[in-house]
Amino acid sequence: MKTIVNGIIKENPTFVLLLGLCPALAVTTKVENAYLMGLCVLIVLLISSLIVSIIKKLIPESVKLPVYILIIGTIVTVLEIILKNYIPVLHQILGIYLPLIVVNCIVLGRIISVSSKEKIGYSLKDALGIGLGFTLAITVIALFREVLGTGLITLMDATSSITGYRAIYQIIPSNNLLPISILTTPAGAFLILGLLIPLFNYIKDKGGKKSELN
């Protein structure tokens, strides 16, 4: 459990390690888009970590990096094919950022630093923690951007064709101050990220100091 929590808080890939920022800024216009991208990264991270952890001793040192990229690329390609054929709406939402998971620093970084060195159990727990940390981080960014930028929160819209359920809620009524439309733009993404990074790290450090005192 400590390994999972570590990935969510102490080594949060977005707010602490500052990795995977391209999708974090690009797909966070809606909460729905954010958590769906996070789940895809989590799936790829878990499967690739499992495979690498199992076969790590069979891979020659000279070709480790190409093999890791090949494994990640294969998993992402299979995921993309499945989504394109069976859940086309989701495939359309994630767009170009789905195949770009292949070069996502979070996935390749954890494969090199953890899965290629540790046992299967630890690798899976680390992948789960990092994947959840990324998903929660970009969902929080999307929450601030969508609510403050549009006054709405979209939990399920485009994917309602899959579930049969649509969930869009008006959180803040429109007035002279809100919505702040700039937050729905790329500049707004950088602004929200810049505000959340120090806030997250302040809360994290304060919580760590309290734990030490106790």
Side-chain angles (χ1 to χ4, degrees):
M1 190 64 185
K2 185 179 179 181
T3 305
I4 297 174
V5 174
N6 184 66
I8 296 173
I9 300 176
K10 291 185 178 180
E11 292 188 40
N12 186 281
T14 302
F15 293 143
V16 178
L17 302 180
L18 302 182
L19 298 175
L21 296 185
C22 287
L25 298 174
V27 304
T28 53
T29 51
K30 291 183 179 181
V31 171
E32 179 187 35
N33 299 358
Y35 72 72
L36 289 174
M37 172 56 78
L39 289 176
C40 287
V41 171
L42 175 60
I43 290 169
V44 172
L45 191 53
L46 280 171
I47 297 175
S48 57
S49 294
L50 175 63
I51 294 173
V52 170
S53 188
I54 291 173
I55 68 171
K56 59 180 180 289
K57 293 182 180 179
L58 303 176
I59 307 173
E61 190 69 32
S62 58
V63 295
K64 278 189 174 182
L65 186 58
V67 170
Y68 297 158
I69 294 174
L70 180 62
I71 291 170
I72 297 168
T74 302
I75 296 167
V76 172
T77 302
V78 171
L79 179 62
E80 187 178 9
I81 292 171
I82 292 172
L83 293 181
K84 188 174 183 179
N85 286 279
Y86 297 99
I87 317 177
V89 178
L90 179 53
H91 181 266
Q92 187 176 2
I93 289 173
L94 300 180
I96 187 62
Y97 295 99
L98 181 59
L100 283 179
I101 294 175
V102 176
V103 292
N104 192 309
C105 301
I106 299 171
V107 179
L108 186 58
R110 301 317 284 192
I111 292 297
I112 294 173
S113 62
V114 179
S115 303
S116 63
K117 301 174 182 178
E118 301 291 344
K119 294 180 179 179
I120 297 174
Y122 184 88
S123 298
L124 287 176
K125 286 188 287 186
D126 178 79
L128 180 60
I130 292 293
L132 288 176
F134 176 71
T135 303
L136 290 172
I138 63 174
T139 302
V140 169
I141 294 171
L143 181 66
F144 277 92
R145 289 186 68 190
E146 186 175 15
V147 171
L148 297 178
T150 66
L152 303 173
I153 179 170
T154 305
L155 299 179
M156 199 168 291
D157 183 16
T159 51
S160 61
S161 58
I162 303 168
T163 63
Y165 179 71
R166 191 167 184 262
I168 302 176
Y169 302 102
Q170 182 83 40
I171 303 299
I172 302 175
S174 299
N175 54 44
N176 293 330
L177 297 176
L178 293 170
I180 308 171
S181 57
I182 191 176
L183 296 182
T184 62
T185 67
F190 280 103
L191 179 62
I192 291 296
L193 181 64
L195 292 172
L196 288 178
I197 287 174
L199 178 61
F200 180 88
N201 283 279
Y202 172 77
I203 295 172
K204 174 178 69 71
D205 293 340
K206 192 174 181 180
K209 289 179 181 177
K210 284 185 178 180
S211 299
E212 291 176 4
L213 292 173
N214 294 333

